[in-house]
Amino acid sequence: MDFSADRPAFFVNPDYRPMTGAKKPVIDPATLETVGTIAAATDGEIDAALTAATTAQAAWKKLDAKSRAKHLHAVANAIEAADFTRCAELMVREMGKPYPEAIGEIANCAPIFRYYAEMARDDAGKVAGTTQAGSFQYARYEPYGVSVHIMPYNFPILLMCWTVAASLAAGNACVIKPAEATTLSTLDYMTVFRSLPEGLVSCLPGAAATAQVLIASDRTHAVAFTGSVAAGKAVAVACAEGMKPCVIEAGGSDPLIISQHAPLEVAAAGSVTAAFHLTGQVCTSAERFFVVDSVHDRFVELFAEKTQALRIGNGMDKTEIGPLVSEAARAKVMRLVDDAIARGARAVTGGRIPPAHNTGWFYEPTILTGVTPDMAIVREECFGPVAAICRVKDFDEAIRLANDSPFGLGASVFTTDLAEAHEAAERLEAGMVWVNNPLIDNDALPFGGWKASGLGRELGRQGLDAFRRSKMVIIDHKPAIQDWWYPYPDSWFRETGGRKHV
């Protein structure tokens, strides 16, 4: 069957299959209109996907590296050749991001498949210096089997491709559990995998219960998860019970430091994107701002001026700020902002539902000043369009307060002082540090967090190693009896008090 937003389906490469479970409407967060329908995978549908994945992986793991790379390049070719207009529109209508961001995310995933195609072809193992004459000693890497990919709604296609490309390159089959809020666009994207062997990639819609079944199955062997800290901890516990490796990216509350040496015009412009990109629904959004006293007022003035120029509206229109993904997401943002204001903070901009957009889950991009480190908006992940600014006396205090958090995903600094830049890179307790250019990533560098923000890494060599296990191999090509084998010669023993000791 062809994919239709109005008919619940799951995907087992190369086919879409109708689903039999109860239908659930998908609601546009901007208009509250129905976009389509989805359903949760039944036990039978999960079984069908896992059976296909197990069969496909048995053959896939035997492919030589060059052939596997050719398949991944074919996926990249399919991405580059496809028309993703419908997929992007579905994403906008499902979760609200502006259309240019949706189409950009969807269309720009080819490089990750090319990167891992060549990395897996080049990195087969390691020959070690021998510990014994006549012995060939080396490590080889092998796939786990079937990997589960539990995806978020904010970058449902890009983050899926990060881990799926690595897992396929390592020799695994992949079962994707999309976010409920972006199931339709994820399913629509599955056509890019049709050149791969039958059953190698599947997409099973559902909620947390579907993820739990997939993690608990004895036919899955590794897990990649992106989402909240609470859900990430639950996934980690479930994986531990099954002794399954997992990669967990669990979000954060990223700090952004404005030094006295910051280029303020650049810093203000960069901070707008760092704080408000995707309506603040980015795991690495800058939420906690620490601005040195000597530049505080001027920075806030510039930051507010640039923020007020942002357009709020439906992601299908010309806009930078779309709706939040759900009513619950907006309610959390409002709770944290209202609490901060009640405790003495001031909304320089925003702090309210925009009067012109009272339908849908919109909220104005908000800058709060007078924030103190004990406020809930500093201690929790807001995940909305809010920048909470704390005034600090110097760079050292900024670093200390930035680190005073249970999170440690990313951290940003604006400064023209080289010593401060290096000191920030060394002292900030985060998996990623950006100086003067927040939020960017690199396929060849590891992406992930410290502390409650996650376990393991995506991208780079570590991203590939997350989906394969090592095996030490020792081969003696001239079999011989070794002098340390049993029984020990008498000369190895000594008499002490009537007892023998080796």
Side-chain angles (χ1 to χ4, degrees), residues 317-332:
D317 300 328
K318 293 180 179 179
T319 182
E320 289 82 31
I321 305 296
L324 287 143
V325 72
S326 67
E327 183 179 16
R330 186 176 71 174
K332 180 182 181 182

Side-chain angles (χ1 to χ4, degrees), residues 127-325:
V127 177
T130 184
T131 60
Q132 190 168 298
S135 181
F136 179 45
Q137 304 178 354
Y138 67 98
R140 56 178 284 126
Y141 295 106
E142 299 181 5
Y144 283 105
V146 177
S147 58
V148 177
H149 303 256
I150 304 168
M151 293 293 100
Y153 68 81
N154 55 352
F155 294 99
I157 305 300
L158 178 67
L159 299 189
M160 174 190 70
C161 289
W162 282 7
T163 58
V164 166
S167 185
L168 290 172
N172 301 287
C174 299
V175 178
I176 299 154
K177 206 296 287 180
E180 282 192 284
T182 45
T183 294
L184 298 179
S185 53
T186 304
L187 281 169
D188 191 79
Y189 197 79
M190 289 296 107
T191 57
V192 303
F193 297 113
R194 279 179 161 161
S195 64
L196 293 175
E198 182 177 343
L200 194 62
V201 174
S202 299
C203 184
L204 289 170
T210 303
Q212 290 164 0
V213 171
L214 289 171
I215 294 170
S217 173
D218 59 7
R219 289 186 288 172
T220 66
H221 311 94
V223 177
F225 168 86
T226 300
S228 69
V229 171
K233 289 180 178 179
V235 169
V237 169
C239 288
E241 289 176 347
M243 295 295 282
K244 295 181 183 180
C246 57
V247 178
I248 293 176
E249 199 267 271
S253 179
D254 281 10
L256 190 152
I257 294 172
I258 303 295
S259 153
Q260 65 176 328
H261 304 293
L264 293 184
E265 287 281 352
V266 174
S271 294
V272 170
T273 295
F276 304 129
H277 181 60
L278 195 55
T279 318
Q281 298 171 115
V282 181
C283 299
T284 51
S285 287
E287 297 190 1
R288 300 177 294 130
F289 282 66
F290 301 98
V291 183
V292 171
D293 179 72
S294 60
V295 297
H296 177 278
D297 293 349
R298 179 57 178 159
F299 170 76
V300 170
E301 180 184 355
L302 290 170
F303 188 20
E305 177 184 310
K306 295 180 186 300
T307 298
Q308 288 165 346
L310 298 179
R311 294 163 290 189
I312 302 171
N314 191 315
M316 296 303 296
D317 300 328
K318 293 180 179 179
T319 182
E320 289 82 31
I321 305 296
L324 287 143
V325 72

Side-chain angles (χ1 to χ4, degrees), residues 6 23 76 103 199 225 359 409 448:
D6 297 320
K23 295 181 179 181
I103 194 69
F225 168 86
T359 297
L409 188 55

Side-chain angles (χ1 to χ4, degrees), residues 446-460:
F447 184 101
W450 290 13
K451 299 189 279 190
S453 289
L455 298 170
R457 290 294 181 269
E458 300 166 353
L459 302 182

Side-chain angles (χ1 to χ4, degrees), residues 37 50 56 67 73 80 153-154 158 170 217 243 323-324 374 418 449 461 470 481:
T37 57
L50 291 180
S67 297
H73 282 299
E80 291 171 347
Y153 68 81
N154 55 352
L158 178 67
S217 173
M243 295 295 282
L324 287 143
D374 59 331
L418 185 60
R461 186 178 302 275
S470 63
I481 295 174

